């Protein structure tokens, strides 16, 4: 096996090779470090690296395998988004205002992975305060898509997605408040999972925001399951963590499903390549024995307006707490705009967003009662340009001018339906060579139905998943 093949092994295969002593954790880590040194200067997926510390941990993992007491993630490198708190490490959230902030506690999913033997070798980039579907900041610069450097990897977990797609890590963390796991998963040809809110415990204040979810990006569905089974379940310090713990299978065969299809959620314009790749995926599902039927959710632009009200109250409203308004000159353009929106928040805005969430479920709920899952495109384009300004001039999709932040996304709508598990999976590439994606939406809290559908899709569309297709940066 050459080094490129090693870099693109699944996380589960890496652990199996560790257990069989086919390769040592240190050898594997050094291969990833070499890969990062080769490709990261062009991609810019990492903020900070902890390679020396990680090497020491890899040596300890080797001993654990020799002694027969290896833990479930022993020696597995995991890249951590620069928003998860890690005790003793900086958490900047991509902002100059937090460039010297060091946490004294770790978030629940970090502590659980660490207890399972994972090695945290690098931090991944995010837009300032995780505010956008792009991935650039004044603190860490522009992160680029490994498939085409002119485009971004999506956001806000863009660095995690770029690192995975470039073969720099086998698993990476993300957070998702408006699509921040699923957008970059789509744009980088990956699997990205938004669990039901509370399935994976989180730290404050994010855990109290119903739109917020923490989870994983990976190169296949089984690796998502691996991470989920480590970090999910109730936590004594997270009031919103769900009491029940769902164990998801690490592999599963295909099953015939009844699938509802909404190509555009009723109002989102689609690029022709995204539409074609979605229809190709639909035909592959039908060929595998699934029934796929179009449905009408009767949603419209009012959904985006309601979503922005919630973001303004729950997420943008936190910016002044980070003293952003006192340091406006160092903020990105989009963070300053978000702070301004928060200052204009009306007393009825949150209540109006609740009404819209209820209205949405009056059509989504019956669909998910009549079908096993709903599928939609994840993003209406492959990706936006790497330097895209989400609050700048409007974007054009399929000949129509759309909002630069919301107009190309079909993700935040399912943060509003926060109890539904959702995964993004790859469908193919667009004319620029950038991946495109499909969302699978399951009934509320039904993680097992979601993974059953995801595995079925993976079997039907195996060639769309890395490393089956042409790899980025394979030189």
């Amino acid at each position: 096996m050459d080094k490129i093949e090693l870099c693109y092994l699944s996380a589960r295969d890496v652990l199996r090779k560790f257990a069989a002593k086919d390769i040592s954790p240190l050898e594997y880590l050094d291969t990833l470090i070499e890969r990062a040194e080769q490709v990261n200067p062009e991609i810019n997926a990492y903020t900070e690296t902890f390679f020396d510390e990680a090497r020491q941990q890899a040596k300890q993992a080797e001993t654990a395998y020799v002694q027969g007491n290896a833990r479930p993630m022993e020696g597995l490198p995991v890249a951590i988004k620069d928003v998860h708190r890690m005790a003793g490490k900086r958490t900047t959230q991509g902002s100059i205002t937090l460039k010297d902030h060091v946490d004294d506690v770790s978030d629940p999913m970090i502590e659980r992975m660490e207890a399972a033997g994972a090695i945290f070798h690098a931090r991944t980039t995010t837009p300032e305060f995780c505010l956008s579907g792009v991935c650039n900041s004044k603190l860490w610069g522009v992160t680029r898509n490994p498939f085409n450097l002119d485009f971004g990897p999506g956001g806000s977990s863009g660095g995690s997605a770029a690192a995975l797609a470039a073969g720099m890590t086998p698993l990476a963390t993300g957070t998702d408040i408006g699509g921040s796991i699923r957008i970059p998963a789509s744009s980088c040809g990956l699997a990205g999972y938004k669990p039901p809110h509370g399935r994976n415990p989180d730290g404050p204040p994010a855990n109290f925001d119903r739109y917020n979810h923490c989870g994983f990006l990976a190169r296949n569905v089984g690796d998502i399951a691996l991470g989920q089974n480590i970090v999910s379940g109730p936590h004594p310090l997270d009031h919103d963590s769900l009491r029940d713990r769902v164990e998801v299978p690490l592999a599963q065969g295909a099953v015939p499903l009844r699938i509802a299809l909404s190509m555009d959620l009723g109002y989102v314009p689609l690029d022709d390549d995204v539409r074609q790749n979605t229809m190709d995926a639909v035909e592959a599902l039908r060929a595998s024995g699934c029934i796929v039927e179009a449905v009408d959710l009767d949603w419209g632009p009012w959904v985006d307006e309601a979503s922005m009200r919630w973001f303004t109250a729950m997420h943008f409203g936190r910016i002044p707490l980070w003293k952003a308004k006192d340091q406006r000159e160092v903020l990105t353009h989009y963070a300053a705009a978000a702070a301004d929106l928060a200052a204009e928040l009306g007393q009825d805005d949150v209540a109006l967003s609740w009404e819209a969430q209820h209205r949405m479920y009056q059509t989504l709920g019956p669909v998910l009662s009549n079908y096993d899952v709903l599928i939609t495109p994840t993003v209406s384009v492959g990706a936006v340009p790497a330097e895209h300004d989400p609050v700048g001039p409007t974007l054009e999709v399929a000949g129509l001018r759309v909002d630069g932040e919301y107009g190309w996304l079909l993700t935040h709508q399912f943060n509003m339906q926060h109890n539904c598990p959702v995964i993004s999976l790859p469908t193919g590439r667009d004319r620029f060579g950038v991946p495109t994606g499909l969302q699978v939406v399951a009934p509320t809290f039904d993680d097992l139905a979601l993974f059953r559908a995801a595995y079925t899709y993976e079997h039907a569309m195996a060639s769309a998943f890395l490393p089956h297709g042409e790899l980025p940066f394979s030189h």
Side-chain angles (χ1 to χ4, degrees):
M1 178 177 293
D2 65 25
K3 290 183 177 180
I4 293 295
E5 292 175 313
L6 189 58
C7 288
Y8 282 94
L9 279 180
S10 74
R12 288 162 299 145
D13 282 342
V14 169
L15 289 170
R16 281 191 284 263
K17 285 188 174 294
F18 288 169
K21 302 180 179 60
D22 291 337
I23 187 170
S24 76
L26 182 58
E27 288 175 301
Y28 176 69
L29 176 64
D30 281 340
T31 302
L32 294 184
I33 292 172
E34 181 180 341
R35 177 70 170 170
E37 290 171 344
Q38 291 172 347
V39 303
N40 193 56
E42 294 180 88
I43 300 169
N44 188 36
Y46 288 161
T47 62
E48 296 180 279
T49 58
F50 316 114
F51 294 158
D52 290 341
E53 180 180 338
R55 282 190 173 106
Q56 292 302 313
Q57 293 170 331
K59 291 176 182 177
Q60 295 170 6
E62 289 180 4
T63 301
Y65 281 105
V66 170
Q67 294 178 345
N69 55 9
R71 296 163 290 179
M73 297 182 86
E74 195 71 62
L76 184 73
V78 181
I80 305 298
K81 182 178 179 180
D82 185 20
V83 65
H84 297 291
R85 295 181 300 171
M86 299 171 65
K89 298 284 195 299
R90 285 200 300 168
T91 308
T92 74
Q93 301 186 41
S95 179
I96 292 173
T97 66
L98 294 175
K99 65 182 177 63
D100 298 318
H101 175 75
V102 177
D103 282 301
D104 55 5
V105 296
S106 293
D107 282 332
M109 67 182 298
I110 301 302
E111 66 180 26
R112 286 181 173 174
M113 283 190 291
E114 192 169 34
I119 294 173
F120 308 139
H121 62 306
R123 281 280 214 181
T124 61
T125 54
T126 181
E128 188 166 25
F129 303 133
C130 306
L131 287 173
S132 181
V134 301
C135 195
N136 53 69
S137 69
K138 287 185 177 181
L139 181 59
W140 300 116
V142 176
T143 301
R144 299 183 179 276
N145 194 308
F147 290 90
N148 186 330
L149 298 177
D150 292 334
F151 291 85
S156 63
S157 308
S160 289
L164 276 161
M168 293 157 52
T169 187
L171 193 64
T173 68
T175 57
D176 192 315
I177 192 174
S180 287
I181 287 174
R182 290 160 290 146
I183 298 164
S186 176
S187 294
C188 291
L190 305 166
Y193 183 47
K194 178 197 82 68
H197 175 77
R199 178 72 70 214
N200 296 346
D202 205 352
N207 57 319
F208 293 112
D209 184 348
R210 293 303 178 93
Y211 282 24
N212 190 72
H213 314 256
C214 57
F216 293 95
L217 299 92
R219 289 191 284 267
N220 55 64
V221 178
D223 285 355
I224 297 284
L226 169 71
Q228 276 298 114
N229 289 341
I230 295 296
V231 306
S232 68
H235 192 281
L237 300 183
D238 181 3
H239 176 273
D240 267 25
S241 61
L242 300 174
R243 296 306 307 170
D244 60 316
R245 181 180 180 277
V246 178
E247 183 86 9
V248 294
L250 299 183
Q252 199 168 12
V255 295
L257 300 170
R258 284 181 50 82
I259 299 174
L261 165 69
S262 177
M263 187 63 75
D264 59 6
L265 301 184
Y267 71 103
V268 182
L270 293 185
D271 179 82
D272 288 342
D273 293 345
V274 172
R275 185 178 298 276
Q276 184 59 56
N277 288 351
T278 303
M279 289 311 303
D280 290 346
V282 166
E283 291 309 312
L285 285 166
R286 285 174 173 155
S288 72
C290 295
I291 296 171
V292 184
E293 298 175 338
V295 297
D296 181 9
L297 293 173
D298 195 28
W299 294 353
W302 54 270
V303 171
D304 294 354
E305 295 169 7
S307 181
M308 182 56 75
R309 288 190 178 100
W310 182 274
F311 287 145
T312 301
M314 297 299 294
H315 196 53
F316 299 172
R318 288 158 54 192
I319 297 176
L321 298 179
W322 293 319
K323 302 182 179 179
K325 293 184 74 67
D326 296 333
Q327 303 179 51
R328 189 180 183 90
E329 70 281 357
V330 302
L331 292 181
T332 53
H333 183 35
Y334 55 83
D340 291 341
L341 280 173
E344 299 169 2
L345 183 68
Q347 63 180 3
D348 296 328
D349 281 347
V350 171
L352 289 171
S353 76
W354 287 337
E355 291 177 5
Q357 292 171 49
H358 175 74
R359 179 181 171 187
M360 291 169 72
Y361 197 69
Q362 301 318 291
T363 52
L364 177 61
V367 165
L368 294 176
S369 294
N370 293 324
Y371 295 88
D372 294 302
V373 291
L374 166 73
I375 60 173
T376 81
T378 308
V379 178
S380 69
V381 295
V384 294
E387 291 87 359
H388 175 68
D389 182 355
V391 294
T394 52
L395 187 68
E396 188 171 294
V397 177
L400 299 174
R401 297 181 73 82
V402 300
D403 179 74
E405 181 65 274
Y406 271 178
W408 51 290
L409 305 177
L410 296 89
T411 53
H412 54 277
Q413 296 88 348
F414 298 102
N415 294 83
M416 300 176 76
Q417 305 297 291
H418 48 265
N419 292 330
C420 290
V422 187
I423 194 168
S424 180
L425 303 169
T427 55
R429 311 274 182 88
D430 70 6
R431 60 193 174 279
F432 304 107
V434 175
T436 58
L438 180 93
Q439 285 184 119
V440 182
V441 184
T444 56
F445 303 112
D446 200 342
D447 307 54
L448 294 179
L450 187 285
F451 276 87
R452 187 162 54 246
Y455 283 121
T456 296
Y457 179 85
E458 190 172 47
H459 284 289
M461 290 286 291
S463 62
F465 286 76
L466 289 173
H468 299 282
E470 181 183 353
L471 300 175
F473 286 99
S474 57
H475 54 274

